[in-house]
Amino acid sequence: MDSVRVHLFTIVWIWIASPHICSGSSNSSFWGKKATLVRPPCHWQLSNQCVVPELEELSVCVTIQREIHTSEWTAFDYKQRGQIKTELGLVGSERQLTVWLFKVEHKVNLTESLTLHHWHTFCLTWSAKSKQLRLYVNASRLAELPTDGSRLAGNGMLTLGVSHSMLGGVMDYETGKELMGNATLFRMWGRELGEDELTDLRCVDGDVVSWTKRHWDPDCQPVPDSSLICEWTKYKIDMNVSIKSKPVVTGMLKAIVQKWFEDTFHSNVSVHGIFISSTSSSRWLQGTGDDFGEQVKERRVSSNERTEKRYACLVYVEVMPKADVLAVQEEVQKRLTLQYDHGGVVVKAHPASINVISIEAFPNVTERPSSTADPPTLSTSPTTAELPICPSVSSSVTIENPDECNPDYSDEFRQDTFYRVHLNASINVTVIKSADIIKNWLNVKLNPQSMTVLNFEMNPDLHKYGCTFQVQANSLNISETTHLIYSLLTEAYITDAMSIQALPGHINISHIAPGSCPDHLQQTLYGLYDWPRTEPEDRATLLCEKNSRDQATRSCKLDGMTDKAMWKRPDLSLCKRTVDDITDLDKVNVTANNSGEIVDMIGSLVGNGTDLSDSQLDTVLDKLDDVVSVSPVPPGLAGNIVEIISNVLHSKADLASFTNKILRLTDSVGDTMNFDGEAHNITAPSLALQLVTINSNHFQGLTFGVSSFTNNNSPEIFMNKTFVEKPQGAVAAISLPVVLENFFPRNNTATPRIQFQFYDSAVLFKNPSDTMKLNSYVVSASMTNVNVSNLQQPIIITLRHLNRVQNQDQPILCVYWDFTKSNGGGWESQGCKTESTDGFQTTCHCDHLTHFGVLLDVSKAEISTEDEEILTIISYLGCGLSSIFLGVTLVTYLAFEKLRQDYPSKILINLSLALLGLNLVFLLNSWFASFGSRGVCVSVAAIQHFFVLASFMWMGLEALHMYFALVKVFNTYVPSYILKFCVLGWGIPAVIIILILAIDRDVYGSSLDGETQDPLKDSSPFCWVQNETAFYVSVMSFILLVLLCNITVFGVVLVQIRRMQANKPTSNTSGLLHDLRVVASLTFLLGLTWILPFFSWGPVHTPFMYLFSILNSLQGFFIFIFHCLMKENVQKQWRIHLCCGPLRPGDYSEWSRSMTGAVRGGHSRLVHFPSVKSEDTSSIRKISDSSTSGVSQINA
């Protein structure tokens, strides 16, 4: 609060010293009164004696009440003299407000209309630093508008409720936009107030323009309004006094005034500061009347002669309990004008000089404000009759000379008391919003008694209208206050609609002692702030460190759960940052008191993905290490540190040289953290920490692991208080044997603690060479202050591979991180051995505790990581392209009925549908796998398996149909020919999938148990068949059987076609190209390219895998090319239906009739193929024309 007092003292000095700011001697206040602006016209303008200075920041508040609806109304209008446009103003309409600043208007839409006959408060705040104009309506921020001005123009004209202009030096009021209603409490401050301050200071007068007679020149007098009640406690009384007494030392003057106030106001007014100066040195006495206007000449008097002297007196008082401002002003003026006579001392205040002003806080200075041109300082010695301020009755300061401040003021400071209330309310009607009704009832009953309801909550579990809340009361008498609360709440409160009261037997009131918010030295991005001890429901205010004209505030609130006073987060919105980047952290010293704030600062500077230089990263790690070193770390602070380390792991910095530092920092966090219970864990993206306090008498081993992990998310961890040799379903796990108890401390005072860690970031751990790469997550275990090594029973580490090991011959090495290796640590294998490994995971046995991982020798991999990424990209691009053209093929055949009349076309449609489903599921597989749902993954894997089998089944049926058509020729009617093919093509795959799911649904799943992979970094499918037996039986054997059949048919068909072409009378010059087209068409139609993986071994493995990925991913595209785009009747259908003009075929009618006749012929229901032994060439052409997707279409 000291900074507030200094600021207020500066404002007081400005108000006193500057002749250009509003001043005057009249003490008439307009508080509790309103300006009535309805007809007949009543105009209010700023007094000529009040001059608004140039302002670089400001706050303006005005409260208005509209009585008559108008399309547009004016709240206030401030213009430079001689200017037309408004410098500062507020105009309103039905659904919109217009704010003027620097002659620029800003339109702001209202969230709700402003009702007539109700008071509404509007506030504007602005500063040149923030460049933001903020608009508040009824204590809620409505808009924040950018501005370009640097200062408000001074010496302007201000009118209330109407716009104005100056014509020939005469004020001209504009009509049509007047406020048809009332206005009150127009105030202007010379600084930007925060949102909380606007609410807290609603009963404080402005320091530039106040709601007093000396600042306004109205045409009509204000009207009292009993509803304008505003209660406040802190006041400044400015007056001229006459003291008649025997000669006294100057030190007695303040004691006299103190005694005068104590006897006049008794206990309800406490004095917080007295300033006294001779009238000869004060400009405050000018023009205050005959008695006090004349100067009294100094003359020598005897020691027994009573003399009368005039003084200018400034007294700061606190009124307890708080009361309405107008009532306080009237009561103070009435009491101080009475003559006070005590012990031969007569004191009297001049009535016309008394000016009572509500203020924000008391100044904390040691002398009276001077009238010089320089602002007052905090430590100067008095030069006239100024005296050290006598402490008030509430002060705990020891007075060096008690005689100066007689009588003795040792009474305790009047503080508020607090109470917890539980009650069940009785309401005689059924209500919907019971909470709002009960809270309103409490406010109506308690607020008039200077009580405030805090932290109200309904408690319907105990009673329909049960509730609990706290009460803040301005009274020290606990028993009387408790009885008063009970009486007020048990008394029936009756309105027109309902009756409500607390049930007498169901109300419990207890006094609570919340204490106060302690002194707190807080280090922030905006500077170091020493918050003073503050009482509950009060606010501390300090000057901003970098921009000392602005203020930082922090509220001390009564906590609704603990009934204790607790600091809230400070409001530093008006302050400038003193720590702009990480390098500024070097200027900050870490202590036990500010360690939490330091971590918050670092957390705000180090975001996810931050690009950190080596020096910045070194600074961050050093400061975090200082935080861990200065004092034990509470769990919340430890979680914040782990979060920062996680952000560092995801940053763009080169972490290889900082690995040891990061690992040791994480160890220190776990070793120094205080937590309740036996275990505590902290997780952050890519990082997990598990701490366990061991009961050495019941140690049976310990197992820690990560059950699932998704990139950039927090790991899901588990812990088992036994030794589990083979943890199931773990991404990474470490099992500690029972023999570890041999390393536990032998004394009973030390409790052993074990901590586990999990790291995802591979960039943290550098690879030992280009050929050995980390292929697992890193997991560690350690015991606080104990080096565990040479265990008789090994530690078991189970690590899932990041990339599936395709080649079982690739060396896999179990390693640990050796801090002592040169160049910042490195991997070492001594003390660890590879117990078992497969393509998915490795189990390691080690004889010590540290950080463990698995290295893979990539030099012997059949496919390098780079090739694997390229193959994955090719597969995704090819499948996407095939999906598009398979869709075009299906649309073409399904849209044009004439194309799907024969059997080969219908088979082609089913094959295209199966391949389209296969490609789409493959493309979406990784996305579905990223959900981490076991059920979703099983479903996707089963669907993909089904489409794989269906695709090969229809390839086989295509081959079977070709065999029937070209080799095994017969003229036999086969009923439901295509229907039988559909039963085989779709039914057999469905039966296989159903059987697998019925036998063991765990056959399907993700090879990484829900872990998300990047599809561009791993070519293995996410959701697929995981059981090797099921894979080889239901996938590999099925595909191999179909391929063998298709290869056989492929050879037979080629031989048969060659024979048929050899019987032609003439040869075709393009026979070679024709044959190549036939071979290519059949190859993709029958899926023969799928045979490549069976021959991709040895030196041709990589080239064959490239061919496999390209040809098979583009199978759908090639089917479109050969069996849609290059087919003559398809082209003709496209031209008929999609083209116009010269591109449209002229023989459309003839071709259509011939096709219709062919379709309606009697043989359309037969599988009819002429004998291959016939030498008639037309028969071959007939075969060719009858096949849409077979080889015969190519021969046509």
Side-chain angles (χ1 to χ4, degrees):
M1 296 297 292
D2 293 344
S3 61
V4 176
R5 292 167 179 167
V6 172
H7 182 81
L8 288 178
F9 181 69
T10 305
I11 296 297
V12 170
W13 170 82
I14 293 174
W15 175 59
I16 295 168
S18 175
H20 300 291
I21 301 179
C22 308
S23 62
S25 60
S26 176
N27 65 330
S28 299
S29 171
F30 289 160
W31 283 79
K33 301 175 183 178
K34 61 186 178 182
T36 303
L37 305 176
V38 293
R39 291 186 177 89
C42 177
H43 300 128
W44 282 58
Q45 71 181 61
L46 200 64
S47 171
N48 291 330
Q49 298 180 358
C50 181
V51 179
V52 177
E54 290 187 348
L55 297 174
E56 294 184 353
E57 55 180 314
L58 59 87
S59 298
V60 176
C61 286
V62 62
T63 302
I64 68 171
Q65 181 186 54
R66 298 166 60 221
E67 297 289 350
I68 301 174
H69 175 76
T70 56
S71 60
E72 198 169 7
W73 47 267
T74 300
F76 67 92
D77 184 41
Y78 176 78
K79 293 178 180 176
Q80 281 183 275
R81 297 178 186 269
Q83 297 292 325
I84 298 176
K85 290 191 175 181
T86 301
E87 179 76 4
L88 176 66
L90 178 65
V91 177
S93 60
E94 184 66 23
R95 300 294 297 178
Q96 193 177 64
L97 294 177
T98 301
V99 183
W100 287 86
L101 183 62
F102 307 130
K103 305 177 183 65
V104 178
E105 66 173 353
H106 305 270
K107 300 289 187 180
V108 180
N109 292 327
L110 288 167
T111 57
E112 57 183 17
S113 59
L114 302 175
T115 56
L116 296 177
H117 314 298
H118 287 78
W119 289 105
H120 301 282
T121 300
F122 303 88
C123 292
L124 302 175
T125 66
W126 167 85
S127 75
K129 297 182 180 64
S130 66
K131 299 289 185 182
Q132 296 291 324
L133 172 63
R134 298 179 175 92
L135 170 63
Y136 301 86
V137 178
N138 296 327
S140 297
R141 184 185 296 185
L142 182 62
E144 186 168 331
L145 309 168
T147 60
D148 294 327
S150 59
R151 58 169 52 90
L152 183 77
N155 194 25
M157 300 294 295
L158 174 66
T159 53
L160 189 62
V162 65
S163 297
H164 69 277
S165 59
M166 295 292 294
L167 297 177
V170 179
M171 179 75 74
D172 180 54
Y173 299 101
E174 299 179 7
T175 59
K177 295 193 299 183
E178 304 100 320
L179 174 64
M180 305 304 293
N182 307 307
T184 188
L185 290 183
F186 182 97
R187 294 158 295 159
M188 178 184 290
W189 293 266
R191 66 184 181 94
E192 182 182 33
L193 300 178
E195 186 170 354
D196 292 341
E197 290 179 302
L198 290 172
T199 302
D200 296 342
L201 305 183
R202 65 185 184 88
C203 297
V204 173
D205 221 335
D207 53 28
V208 176
V209 178
S210 62
W211 192 239
T212 57
K213 182 178 180 180
R214 62 192 179 92
H215 286 180
W216 293 94
D217 185 14
D219 293 344
C220 53
Q221 292 301 314
V223 177
D225 189 330
S226 59
S227 66
L228 298 176
I229 303 297
C230 200
E231 296 179 336
W232 193 245
T233 61
K234 301 178 180 68
Y235 296 87
K236 177 186 70 175
I237 304 175
D238 181 13
M239 58 187 171
N240 295 329
V241 299
S242 170
I243 300 179
K244 185 177 182 180
S245 66
K246 294 180 180 180
V248 294
V249 296
T250 56
M252 290 294 296
L253 292 175
K254 289 188 179 180
I256 291 173
V257 175
Q258 182 94 21
K259 180 64 175 174
W260 173 33
F261 269 73
E262 182 187 27
D263 292 346
T264 300
F265 297 102
H266 303 290
S267 61
N268 64 323
V269 175
S270 58
V271 178
H272 283 261
I274 300 174
F275 300 96
I276 301 179
S277 66
S278 171
T279 57
S280 60
S281 61
S282 174
R283 61 185 291 274
W284 296 354
L285 297 180
Q286 297 176 4
T288 57
D290 295 337
D291 294 339
F292 288 85
E294 64 174 317
Q295 305 298 315
V296 179
K297 296 182 180 179
E298 296 291 339
R299 59 187 180 91
R300 190 181 303 274
V301 294
S302 65
S303 60
N304 293 322
E305 184 180 357
R306 297 178 63 185
T307 61
E308 182 177 355
K309 289 187 177 182
R310 282 83 170 180
Y311 301 94
C313 186
L314 187 63
V315 183
Y316 290 92
V317 299
E318 183 172 18
V319 178
M320 299 294 289
K322 61 183 178 181
D324 178 50
V325 174
L326 178 61
V328 171
Q329 292 172 336
E330 293 177 345
E331 183 69 17
V332 168
Q333 177 140 357
K334 181 180 73 173
R335 294 197 182 194
L336 292 182
T337 53
L338 299 176
Q339 180 172 296
Y340 172 75
D341 190 346
H342 178 76
V345 178
V346 179
V347 183
K348 183 179 180 182
H350 189 271
S353 70
I354 300 174
N355 191 12
V356 183
I357 303 171
S358 56
I359 60 173
E360 178 180 356
F362 302 123
N364 185 26
V365 294
T366 58
E367 62 170 328
R368 178 184 180 83
S370 66
S371 58
T372 63
D374 296 324
T377 58
L378 296 183
S379 58
T380 60
S381 58
T383 57
T384 57
E386 296 88 343
L387 302 172
I389 298 178
C390 290
S392 67
V393 294
S394 61
S395 176
S396 60
V397 178
T398 302
I399 305 173
E400 295 182 1
N401 187 0
D403 292 337
E404 292 186 1
C405 297
N406 285 326
D408 180 25
Y409 301 111
S410 57
D411 294 339
E412 186 181 356
F413 178 67
R414 282 182 77 87
Q415 296 181 351
D416 293 342
T417 51
F418 296 88
Y419 305 85
R420 166 66 70 176
V421 180
H422 299 271
L423 63 82
N424 296 334
S426 172
I427 305 177
N428 65 340
V429 294
T430 302
V431 295
I432 299 176
K433 296 182 178 180
S434 58
D436 295 339
I437 292 175
I438 294 176
K439 190 173 182 180
N440 182 66
W441 161 62
L442 294 173
N443 289 327
V444 170
K445 298 294 288 185
L446 299 180
N447 288 358
Q449 303 298 325
S450 298
M451 300 184 192
T452 305
V453 178
L454 305 173
N455 300 315
F456 174 85
E457 287 186 4
M458 293 296 293
N459 192 7
D461 295 338
L462 300 178
H463 187 270
K464 181 178 180 181
Y465 299 129
C467 63
T468 181
F469 54 93
Q470 298 154 330
V471 175
Q472 178 184 8
N474 295 122
S475 172
L476 288 177
N477 194 319
I478 297 174
S479 60
E480 287 185 4
T481 305
T482 303
H483 179 73
L484 178 60
I485 296 174
Y486 182 88
S487 301
L488 291 172
L489 298 184
T490 53
E491 180 184 359
Y493 174 71
I494 302 173
T495 66
D496 295 337
M498 69 182 72
S499 172
I500 181 173
Q501 69 179 106
L503 298 174
H506 297 272
I507 180 171
N508 179 35
I509 307 171
S510 58
H511 173 253
I512 56 178
S516 58
C517 295
D519 296 335
H520 183 204
L521 186 64
Q522 184 182 30
Q523 183 73 56
T524 71
L525 290 172
Y526 303 88
L528 181 65
Y529 294 90
D530 189 4
W531 301 105
R533 179 178 176 180
T534 304
E535 298 303 314
E537 299 303 313
D538 203 352
R539 191 184 72 232
T541 305
L542 300 173
L543 295 179
C544 296
E545 181 172 317
K546 193 169 184 178
N547 48 317
S548 57
R549 290 193 60 185
D550 294 312
Q551 295 179 340
T553 60
R554 194 178 188 187
S555 297
C556 178
K557 294 294 185 180
L558 181 62
D559 185 69
M561 297 294 295
T562 63
D563 291 337
K564 297 297 182 182
M566 297 183 64
W567 281 116
K568 296 299 181 181
R569 294 183 65 88
D571 181 6
L572 305 173
S573 58
L574 300 179
C575 300
K576 294 182 179 179
R577 289 171 63 149
T578 58
V579 179
D580 293 320
D581 54 36
I582 294 175
T583 56
D584 292 333
L585 291 174
D586 292 328
K587 309 172 187 175
V588 180
N589 294 323
V590 179
T591 65
N593 293 329
N594 70 358
S595 58
E597 287 77 19
I598 298 295
V599 173
D600 290 339
M601 292 167 56
I602 297 174
S604 63
L605 294 171
V606 182
N608 196 351
T610 304
D611 189 3
L612 298 175
S613 64
D614 288 351
S615 61
Q616 290 176 328
L617 182 56
D618 192 57
T619 299
V620 169
L621 296 178
D622 285 343
K623 288 300 176 183
L624 292 178
D625 188 63
D626 292 343
V627 169
V628 176
S629 302
V630 294
S631 63
V633 180
L637 183 60
N640 293 338
I641 295 175
V642 171
E643 189 73 28
I644 294 174
I645 297 174
S646 173
N647 289 335
V648 169
L649 296 180
H650 289 89
S651 69
K652 301 175 183 178
D654 182 11
L655 304 179
S657 57
F658 296 94
T659 304
N660 284 355
K661 214 168 190 178
I662 293 175
L663 296 181
R664 288 194 174 107
L665 173 62
T666 311
D667 287 340
S668 299
V669 172
D671 291 340
T672 60
M673 185 171 68
N674 289 333
F675 61 91
D676 298 327
E678 296 182 357
H680 184 81
N681 68 77
I682 303 173
T683 60
S686 305
L687 180 62
L689 187 68
Q690 174 75 60
L691 305 176
V692 184
T693 301
I694 302 299
N695 185 347
S696 55
N697 297 324
H698 301 88
F699 182 70
Q700 299 178 354
L702 204 60
T703 301
F704 164 81
V706 175
S707 58
S708 66
F709 173 69
T710 305
N711 287 343
N712 297 325
N713 288 321
S714 299
E716 295 184 11
I717 62 177
F718 68 88
M719 186 186 67
N720 194 323
K721 292 186 178 181
T722 59
F723 177 74
V724 180
E725 186 172 355
K726 295 181 179 181
Q728 298 296 320
V731 174
I734 182 168
S735 302
L736 305 182
V738 180
V739 297
L740 192 67
E741 63 183 356
N742 297 331
F743 292 85
F744 292 166
R746 296 305 176 188
N747 55 341
N748 295 328
T749 58
T751 303
R753 174 186 290 185
I754 295 176
Q755 67 167 302
F756 300 98
Q757 298 172 15
F758 168 83
Y759 295 90
D760 161 49
S761 179
V763 296
L764 181 61
F765 303 93
K766 59 185 177 183
N767 296 311
S769 65
D770 293 336
T771 58
M772 298 296 292
K773 294 188 177 181
L774 185 66
N775 194 35
S776 70
Y777 301 115
V778 175
V779 65
S780 75
S782 62
M783 187 183 300
T784 302
N785 300 325
V786 178
N787 182 22
V788 178
S789 59
N790 300 318
L791 288 170
Q792 298 301 317
Q793 185 179 352
I795 297 166
I796 299 178
I797 303 101
T798 304
L799 297 171
R800 182 66 57 87
H801 296 161
L802 296 178
N803 296 297
R804 181 176 178 179
V805 180
Q806 304 285 350
N807 185 2
Q808 298 298 323
D809 296 331
Q810 286 182 263
I812 295 177
L813 194 63
C814 291
V815 292
Y816 70 92
W817 187 259
D818 186 358
F819 288 88
T820 62
K821 273 203 167 185
S822 60
N823 299 323
W827 292 113
E828 182 60 58
S829 61
Q830 186 178 2
C832 290
K833 67 175 183 177
T834 303
E835 180 66 19
S836 62
T837 185
D838 55 29
F840 298 101
Q841 70 179 23
T842 295
T843 301
C844 304
H845 285 187
C846 298
D847 62 359
H848 58 280
L849 296 183
T850 185
H851 302 79
F852 302 101
V854 169
L855 295 180
L856 176 65
D857 188 352
V858 296
S859 63
K860 297 184 179 181
E862 294 181 345
I863 298 180
S864 66
T865 304
E866 293 76 11
D867 287 331
E868 196 168 327
E869 292 179 2
I870 295 173
L871 289 171
T872 303
I873 295 174
I874 291 173
S875 299
Y876 275 87
L877 292 178
C879 289
L881 191 64
S882 291
S883 299
I884 295 173
F885 286 101
L886 284 170
V888 174
T889 302
L890 283 171
V891 170
T892 298
Y893 277 88
L894 294 175
F896 305 140
E897 184 179 0
K898 294 181 176 61
L899 297 179
R900 61 176 188 272
Q901 298 298 331
D902 55 6
Y903 294 144
S905 298
K906 295 177 180 178
I907 295 174
L908 180 65
I909 291 174
N910 283 274
L911 174 60
S912 298
L913 183 61
L915 288 173
L916 178 61
L918 174 61
N919 284 305
L920 291 177
V921 174
F922 175 77
L923 291 172
L924 298 174
N925 196 316
S926 60
W927 181 64
F928 283 114
S930 67
F931 295 159
S933 171
R934 173 72 179 169
V936 171
C937 197
V938 169
S939 302
V940 172
I943 294 172
Q944 182 167 311
H945 190 189
F946 169 78
F947 279 115
V948 168
L949 299 181
S951 298
F952 278 94
M953 195 67 199
W954 279 106
M955 293 178 201
L957 293 174
E958 184 74 62
L960 182 61
H961 178 72
M962 287 185 185
Y963 178 77
F964 288 156
L966 299 177
V967 181
K968 190 71 174 178
V969 180
F970 57 90
N971 289 295
T972 306
Y973 170 69
V974 180
S976 304
Y977 181 73
I978 290 298
L979 179 60
K980 292 176 180 178
F981 267 41
C982 288
V983 171
L984 294 175
W986 300 108
I988 291 177
V991 170
I992 294 174
I993 301 302
I994 292 172
L995 287 176
I996 291 175
L997 291 173
I999 295 172
D1000 185 9
R1001 68 188 302 268
D1002 291 334
V1003 166
Y1004 298 113
S1006 170
S1007 60
L1008 299 178
D1009 284 341
E1011 178 189 357
T1012 298
Q1013 304 181 79
D1014 187 342
L1016 299 180
K1017 294 184 178 180
D1018 196 329
S1019 59
S1020 60
F1022 296 147
C1023 299
W1024 185 231
V1025 180
Q1026 299 302 313
N1027 184 281
E1028 290 190 1
T1029 302
F1031 174 76
Y1032 284 110
V1033 171
S1034 65
V1035 180
M1036 295 302 294
S1037 60
F1038 187 91
I1039 293 175
L1040 186 59
L1041 179 62
V1042 172
L1043 289 177
L1044 290 176
C1045 295
N1046 288 5
I1047 291 172
T1048 303
V1049 172
F1050 175 74
V1052 173
V1053 168
L1054 286 183
V1055 172
Q1056 189 63 33
I1057 291 176
R1058 192 62 184 170
R1059 289 178 180 176
M1060 293 166 61
Q1061 290 179 345
N1063 294 328
K1064 293 183 179 180
T1066 59
S1067 61
N1068 193 340
T1069 57
S1070 59
L1072 180 60
L1073 293 176
H1074 182 273
D1075 292 342
L1076 290 177
R1077 197 175 79 175
V1078 170
V1079 172
S1081 173
L1082 289 175
T1083 299
F1084 290 108
L1085 193 65
L1086 302 181
L1088 302 184
T1089 55
W1090 289 83
I1091 202 68
L1092 288 173
F1094 295 97
F1095 300 96
S1096 59
W1097 45 270
V1100 299
H1101 177 71
T1102 299
F1104 270 41
M1105 291 307 297
Y1106 272 94
L1107 286 174
F1108 173 79
S1109 296
I1110 295 172
L1111 297 177
N1112 288 319
S1113 64
L1114 293 174
Q1115 183 180 4
F1117 172 71
F1118 287 119
I1119 287 177
F1120 167 78
I1121 294 295
F1122 291 114
H1123 302 283
C1124 192
L1125 182 64
M1126 298 177 65
K1127 189 173 178 184
E1128 184 178 351
N1129 57 343
V1130 173
Q1131 295 175 6
K1132 198 159 189 177
Q1133 283 292 303
W1134 282 347
R1135 292 171 62 188
I1136 291 171
H1137 295 281
L1138 304 178
C1139 298
C1140 60
L1143 297 178
R1144 189 180 183 91
D1147 57 344
Y1148 165 69
S1149 299
E1150 179 184 352
W1151 183 84
S1152 178
R1153 285 193 299 270
S1154 64
M1155 287 299 297
T1156 305
V1159 170
R1160 295 176 181 175
H1163 295 292
S1164 62
R1165 296 175 56 85
L1166 302 176
V1167 181
H1168 174 70
F1169 302 101
S1171 174
V1172 296
K1173 296 180 181 180
S1174 174
E1175 300 295 332
D1176 188 356
T1177 307
S1178 64
S1179 298
I1180 300 175
R1181 293 187 180 274
K1182 189 173 182 179
I1183 295 172
S1184 179
D1185 291 338
S1186 67
S1187 178
T1188 302
S1189 63
V1191 133
S1192 51
Q1193 74 178 34
I1194 302 170
N1195 298 334

